[in-house]
Amino acid sequence: MQAFTLPEFYVPHPARMNPHLEAARAHSMAWARRMGMLDSPSPSGDVVWTEQALAKMDYALLCAHTHPDCDGPSLDLVTDWYVWVFFFDDDFLAQFKYTRDTEGAKTYLARLEMFMTGPGETSPEPGNPAEAGLEDLWARTIPSMSEAWRRRFVTSTHNLMVESLWELDNIDRGRIANPIEYVQMRRRVGGAPWSANLIEYAVGAEVPDRIAATRPMEVLRDTFADAVHLRNDLFSYQREVREEGENSNAVLVFEKFLDCPTQEAADLTNALLTSRLQQFENTALVEVPALLAERDVSLSEQIAVGLYVKGLQDWQSGGHEWHIRSSRYMNEGAASGGHGLGLVQRVRQQAPPPFAKVGHLPLPDFRMPYPVRTSPHLAAAREYAPGWAREMGMFEDGGIWDERRMRGIDLPHCAAMIHADSDLDQLKLSSDWLTWGTYGDDYFPLVFGMRRDPIAAKLCNDRLSLFMPLDGEPVPKPSNPVERGLEDLWNRTAGPLAPPARAEFRQAIERMTASWVWEVANQAQNRVPDPVDYVEMRRRTFGSDLTKSLARLRLGEVVPPEIYQNRVLFELDTAAQDYATFANDLFSYQKEIEYEGEVHNLVYVVERFLDVGRIEARDIAARLMNARMDQFEQLADEGLPRMCDDLELDDDVRAVLTRYADNMKDWMAGILEWHRKCVRYTPEELERLSTPAPPSFSLVPSGIGMSAWRIGSGAR
């Protein structure tokens, strides 16, 4: 009996079939036999695959559906890659997940990586079918692709192999990931980003390297990956969870996190799958064309991007068709899909009329295991801060801020807690960065968001990069407080940095300011963000990347940059960021929804996505917040020391990483305490600021082609 009834899937494009299917079936069976994958014994004595089992799983059918337009030799090669990756998954399960042999798994994976050779490198002699298959596939694929593609493919192949240890560790602990951790880790351990790379091979067109790391292209890849993985989790729940004892499955994650029946968890997984597909569509139709125009992408490159997008669409439809036919999955009653749920999700993504009278949101209990520490220089920083803001022009016209409002926000207090060990000059700089970021975060919604004008917002944002020269280039004259403040802060912060650190720091600032434009664009579309996209972009809108970069700059260059990409540090960072951003959303709910007409708030996003009331949405947001704190604690106490041991890091690097984790503890504790103490979110302050004042004034930044706009001084 199936664990649940499969839901109605949103499949907007029909699946098609490659005419070379039968040839690929014969080729892949012969190839698997030649690589030693058939009748290969597992530690228990059973074989991993038999010829009959491989024929029933029918990976050639998967590839013929997901790559309907490629020629016969290309389909053969792509099918061999999928035979290899599924064999690897089943072989790793048999050898290490069932046996809990973590050390053996590390050795197995380390050797397997040696078969992804770079130019001039030679791989060792294969010792098992997984190694033999990877060596063969590498030699057949890499010569026809660019070096940039090879780097991307190495990364995705590395992730799906090495991050299997995360799954193994969770099984060993009996631990089920929280939903946010699960989605972002599933991208690393799941095969979909890897599949996206192979789509470039199959369609004969590579994504231009100069746009591959932009937000639109990353969102295309991530939404594609999330939809593939969520669909797979629905079909594979019976086998993975009920039969194999796996615990990396979205249905199980939602079942346990929300304490709900399996059917309800499956329906929620499908709703998220639908939302991610619609995020894909919005990105492909809105953001990608704008990117191509902005970057002046050539016609041939535009065609390549179009083929890639079409390849991603084909994969979604073909992958669904294969899941409903393969013996590998639970698929009784599954249908080819339709549009029904998609219409419901689109309605939920449309924002209702703004400025709803929601009232004060009662706050839940916050779990904070770390003490608040405060700099002894706080009083001096408080006296200093208004003068800098006035000098930058932040009090001019009285519309965004005035001195009373700034003193009530009390950003020096926040800086004094998150950088408790700073000297006075460092504390002043930290306070000024927080002042600038908070002012900018208020400025963009007021000046551009209320007018639904993302073009003007983007033009304004584009100018900001001019005030962050990398090599001493001349800068224009600032035309507003945001530009003036950034010019001052950049000169004080970036001047002493080495060129690579300066470039990385500038990129962190650009990610934050670009996210403000993203918010304005959502308002222009009257669109409530997709939950996953919201969480990931919220880290940027909150300035987490900027804060992280400042923290790393203070720690110096002892830690090799690649260490920060390790799963442990990546999850440590994002868990801390989510805790802080969710806290902000809980405190700011009334301010944003009732007084500012915003949609960028986790409580509100949950309300719309799950169709629940604000109190239930509040409780889910708080549960997510506390789950991320639990994860942070586990990583800081256990994961970080284990990572240092595994990588054999020296004492100096260990000390810096320990201090980095301690800084994040101060950051989370300080941000929560600041929200509790400042007046920014209190009903009294919101009522005071909502009272219109007689004067009007122009908020239009000069030099960006905006028409005049005037607003009463109490709007924010």
Side-chain angles (χ1 to χ4, degrees):
M1 181 178 176
Q2 292 192 165
F4 54 84
T5 301
L6 285 166
E8 178 186 351
F9 289 89
Y10 175 62
V11 185
H13 305 285
R16 296 182 296 122
M17 178 67 73
N18 191 298
H20 305 290
L21 168 61
E22 291 305 326
R25 276 178 171 149
H27 170 88
S28 63
M29 184 66 73
W31 182 82
R33 186 180 299 107
R34 192 166 69 252
M35 295 300 109
M37 295 175 181
L38 302 182
D39 302 319
S40 175
S42 70
S44 67
D46 297 329
V47 297
V48 178
W49 279 359
T50 63
E51 182 172 330
Q52 181 183 20
L54 178 57
K56 286 181 66 179
M57 289 183 285
D58 207 352
Y59 299 119
L61 180 64
L62 166 66
C63 295
H65 272 310
T66 54
H67 305 285
D69 297 322
C70 66
D71 60 23
S74 297
L75 184 63
D76 288 346
L77 179 56
V78 169
T79 303
D80 291 347
W81 270 113
Y82 279 87
V83 170
W84 175 81
V85 80
F86 279 100
F87 176 83
F88 161 76
D89 189 49
D90 288 352
D91 187 44
F92 191 85
L93 175 73
Q95 288 201 54
F96 307 111
K97 289 185 178 178
Y98 286 154
T99 63
R100 310 293 197 266
D101 182 7
T102 302
E103 291 306 313
K106 291 177 182 177
T107 302
Y108 173 94
L109 294 170
R111 257 192 65 87
L112 199 52
E113 291 232 35
M114 296 178 185
F115 294 87
M116 294 188 293
T117 53
E121 296 177 349
T122 304
S123 61
E125 187 70 22
N128 58 53
E131 293 176 356
L134 185 54
E135 180 186 53
D136 177 82
L137 290 166
W138 202 253
R140 292 161 57 197
T141 307
I142 296 305
S144 62
M145 305 303 287
S146 70
E147 176 63 19
W149 183 89
R150 187 190 71 82
R151 288 195 305 269
R152 296 199 303 270
F153 192 55
V154 166
T155 298
S156 58
T157 309
H158 165 89
N159 285 342
L160 75 85
M161 293 192 307
V162 173
E163 301 303 354
S164 299
L165 293 171
W166 171 76
E167 292 184 321
L168 183 57
D169 183 61
N170 281 341
I171 291 172
D172 194 44
R173 293 169 176 272
R175 177 182 179 273
I176 298 172
N178 63 71
I180 298 172
E181 174 194 10
Y182 178 76
V183 169
Q184 61 190 25
M185 281 305 302
R186 187 75 161 88
R187 289 179 194 160
R188 294 168 78 100
V189 74
W194 176 88
S195 295
N197 292 142
L198 282 176
I199 286 170
E200 294 178 72
Y201 172 85
V203 300
E206 292 188 24
V207 173
D209 193 46
R210 64 193 175 98
I211 65 169
T214 59
R215 170 186 149 81
M217 301 312 296
E218 288 186 341
V219 172
L220 281 183
R221 180 201 63 209
D222 290 345
T223 50
F224 166 80
D226 293 346
V228 168
H229 295 148
L230 292 166
R231 178 184 290 106
N232 178 264
D233 285 353
L234 284 159
F235 281 98
S236 65
Y237 178 91
Q238 184 83 24
R239 177 176 60 84
E240 291 181 344
V241 177
R242 296 290 173 88
E243 297 171 14
E244 296 177 353
E246 283 268 15
N247 55 15
S248 292
N249 184 289
V251 179
L252 180 65
V253 166
F254 288 125
E255 191 178 352
K256 298 304 181 185
F257 182 78
L258 296 174
D259 191 23
C260 65
T262 306
Q263 184 67 58
E264 185 178 330
D267 292 339
L268 176 57
T269 300
N270 188 45
L272 186 58
L273 160 60
T274 302
S275 181
R276 297 308 278 154
L277 286 172
Q278 292 178 343
Q279 171 75 46
F280 175 93
E281 292 167 346
N282 188 75
T283 304
L285 296 174
V286 178
E287 294 190 50
V288 171
L291 171 71
L292 299 179
E294 175 192 345
R295 297 296 178 93
D296 196 23
V297 174
S298 69
L299 179 60
S300 62
E301 291 175 324
Q302 291 182 44
I303 292 171
V305 172
L307 289 171
Y308 174 67
V309 172
K310 177 176 173 292
L312 294 172
Q313 291 175 331
D314 285 336
W315 210 110
Q316 291 287 356
S317 300
H320 180 82
E321 195 71 18
W322 177 70
H323 274 83
I324 67 177
R325 297 177 186 280
S326 174
S327 67
R328 189 177 177 89
Y329 301 111
M330 174 189 91
N331 45 29
E332 181 183 332
S336 294
H339 294 75
L341 182 61
L343 297 175
V344 174
Q345 288 298 111
R346 287 196 192 281
V347 169
R348 291 179 181 174
Q349 287 176 350
Q350 291 300 301
F355 306 104
K357 298 294 184 182
V358 296
H360 174 66
L361 182 69
L363 293 173
D365 292 331
F366 298 100
R367 200 176 80 75
M368 172 47 67
Y370 304 118
V372 174
R373 301 191 307 125
T374 307
S375 167
H377 304 294
L378 171 58
R382 276 175 167 155
E383 287 308 306
Y384 156 83
W388 182 82
R390 185 181 299 104
E391 184 182 349
M392 297 303 110
M394 293 179 182
F395 302 154
E396 292 177 3
D397 295 318
I400 303 283
W401 281 2
D402 57 22
E403 184 167 341
R404 175 181 174 181
R405 185 174 186 184
M406 185 201 171
R407 287 186 179 275
I409 295 174
D410 201 5
L411 292 163
H413 185 212
C414 187
M417 291 183 289
I418 66 178
H419 298 130
D421 298 320
S422 297
D423 62 29
L424 179 57
D425 286 340
Q426 290 172 331
L427 185 58
K428 287 179 178 178
L429 184 61
S430 297
S431 175
D432 290 345
W433 272 115
L434 289 177
T435 299
W436 178 81
T438 306
Y439 182 89
D441 192 42
D442 284 352
Y443 183 92
F444 269 71
L446 178 58
V447 176
F448 307 113
M450 288 189 175
R451 297 181 65 244
R452 305 296 194 263
D453 196 347
I455 295 176
K458 186 179 183 309
L459 290 171
C460 181
N461 180 61
D462 288 346
R463 271 180 56 89
L464 295 181
S465 294
L466 302 177
F467 296 91
M468 297 182 286
L470 296 177
D471 297 307
E473 305 93 332
V475 300
K477 182 179 179 180
S479 63
N480 58 58
V482 181
E483 293 178 353
R484 197 172 298 115
L486 181 57
E487 180 186 34
D488 178 78
L489 289 167
W490 182 258
N491 290 333
R492 291 160 59 192
T493 308
L497 299 179
R502 192 180 304 139
E504 181 182 347
F505 185 52
R506 171 169 144 166
Q507 188 178 50
I509 298 169
E510 288 174 334
R511 281 195 294 265
M512 179 176 73
T513 62
S515 72
W516 298 340
V517 180
W518 170 81
E519 290 184 318
V520 174
N522 281 332
Q523 287 183 280
Q525 293 184 56
N526 196 40
R527 181 174 180 273
V528 181
D530 162 83
V532 176
D533 197 41
Y534 175 76
V535 168
E536 293 176 338
M537 289 300 291
R538 187 68 179 95
R539 298 166 189 162
R540 299 187 184 189
T541 62
F542 193 67
S544 300
D545 283 345
L546 172 60
T547 304
K548 182 171 62 177
S549 292
L550 286 169
R552 291 181 184 177
L553 291 174
R554 287 189 172 89
L555 294 174
E557 299 180 1
V558 176
V559 180
E562 62 271 14
I563 299 295
Y564 287 113
Q565 303 305 313
N566 183 278
R567 173 186 66 83
V568 172
L569 285 175
F570 175 77
E571 284 295 321
L572 199 71
D573 277 341
T574 56
Q577 291 167 13
D578 292 345
Y579 183 91
T581 59
F582 298 170
N584 177 267
D585 284 358
L586 285 159
F587 276 90
S588 65
Y589 177 82
Q590 183 182 18
K591 170 182 175 289
E592 292 176 342
I593 307 307
E594 181 172 328
Y595 288 90
E596 297 174 359
E598 269 281 6
V599 296
H600 299 98
N601 182 287
L602 180 66
V603 178
Y604 188 73
V605 169
V606 171
E607 278 185 77
R608 297 293 297 171
F609 179 70
L610 295 180
D611 193 23
V612 298
R614 67 186 185 118
I615 298 301
E616 186 175 349
R618 174 206 67 183
D619 291 344
I620 292 171
R623 202 177 310 159
L624 282 168
M625 181 178 167
N626 289 330
R628 293 300 263 167
M629 175 57 76
D630 291 342
Q631 185 186 355
F632 179 92
E633 281 190 286
Q634 187 270 323
L635 289 168
D637 295 344
E638 302 172 30
L640 189 58
R642 190 186 312 127
M643 182 200 79
C644 292
D645 290 341
D646 290 344
L647 298 178
E648 299 180 345
L649 301 179
D650 63 37
D651 290 343
D652 289 343
V653 176
R654 289 171 186 256
V656 169
L657 290 176
T658 299
R659 193 156 71 251
Y660 182 63
D662 289 342
N663 287 346
M664 282 192 278
K665 296 173 186 177
D666 286 341
W667 186 70
M668 289 186 289
I671 285 174
L672 180 60
E673 184 68 7
W674 173 75
H675 278 87
R676 285 170 164 158
K677 294 294 175 63
C678 80
V679 303
R680 181 172 170 86
Y681 309 106
T682 62
E684 296 78 15
E685 179 73 356
L686 295 174
E687 182 62 28
R688 182 184 77 82
L689 292 173
S690 70
T691 303
S696 297
F697 62 94
S698 174
L699 282 175
V700 181
S702 63
I704 62 171
M706 289 179 59
S707 59
W709 177 53
R710 303 176 69 82
I711 185 169
S713 64
R716 293 283 292 183

